[in-house]
Amino acid sequence: MARVLIVEARFYAHLNDMLLDGARTALQEAGHDYEIVTVPGALEVPGAVALAVETGQYDAYVALGVVIRGETYHFEIVAGESARGLMALALDGVPIGNGILTVENEEQALVRADPAQKDKGGEAAKAALAMLALKSRFG
């Protein structure tokens, strides 16, 4: 049984609730324990994962959040830098599933976050577990 940390950015709480539901369901169905920590936004997710990695308490990580395009360049910075931070962790061998949605509008986010539709939270949890299995195989 793996210990999984879900790091969620609560900027859009109603959307994140759906992502969390999907991730929790996937982890429970796979028989794994999990904890949840909350950070203010998507830019803080990679930092929180990096801090948690240092503790050695967790086997895998699930990153959840929503970034919706606005009227400024801020979207590109948040979407790109949060993904870059998570990719850097993955390349260092951290088993992580990226469930940070980067979308044009709330309608797209709702479809992707809803466990009954695209279930990107559940997919991120399954990706983290798949990467953990690969780490075990190659480790």
Side-chain angles (χ1 to χ4, degrees):
M1 176 179 348
R3 297 252 327 129
V4 180
L5 181 65
I6 300 171
V7 180
E8 61 145 351
R10 285 302 286 182
F11 196 80
Y12 296 101
H14 66 294
L15 297 168
N16 236 61
D17 286 342
M18 289 188 278
L19 288 169
L20 269 174
D21 285 345
R24 281 191 287 231
T25 298
L27 294 172
Q28 289 167 353
E29 287 178 354
H32 299 291
D33 286 336
Y34 63 89
E35 289 184 38
I36 301 167
V37 295
T38 301
V39 297
L43 281 176
E44 291 76 33
V45 172
V49 172
L51 290 171
V53 166
E54 291 179 13
T55 71
Q57 294 180 43
Y58 304 98
D59 302 304
Y61 303 84
V62 180
L64 299 178
V66 179
V67 183
I68 299 176
R69 185 179 299 279
E71 296 177 1
T72 68
Y73 185 69
H74 186 68
F75 171 85
E76 282 81 6
I77 293 170
V78 174
E81 291 302 309
S82 64
R84 185 195 61 75
L86 294 174
M87 182 57 68
L89 290 162
L91 291 173
D92 282 342
V94 176
I96 189 162
N98 184 352
I100 296 179
L101 305 180
T102 52
V103 296
E104 295 293 323
N105 53 52
E106 187 172 345
E107 180 182 341
Q108 289 178 354
L110 285 166
V111 169
R112 285 159 179 77
D114 186 351
Q117 295 184 59
K118 296 222 178 207
D119 192 21
K120 294 300 183 180
E123 286 184 11
K126 291 173 186 174
L129 295 175
M131 294 308 292
L132 178 59
L134 279 177
K135 183 176 182 175
S136 295
R137 178 180 171 191
F138 296 135

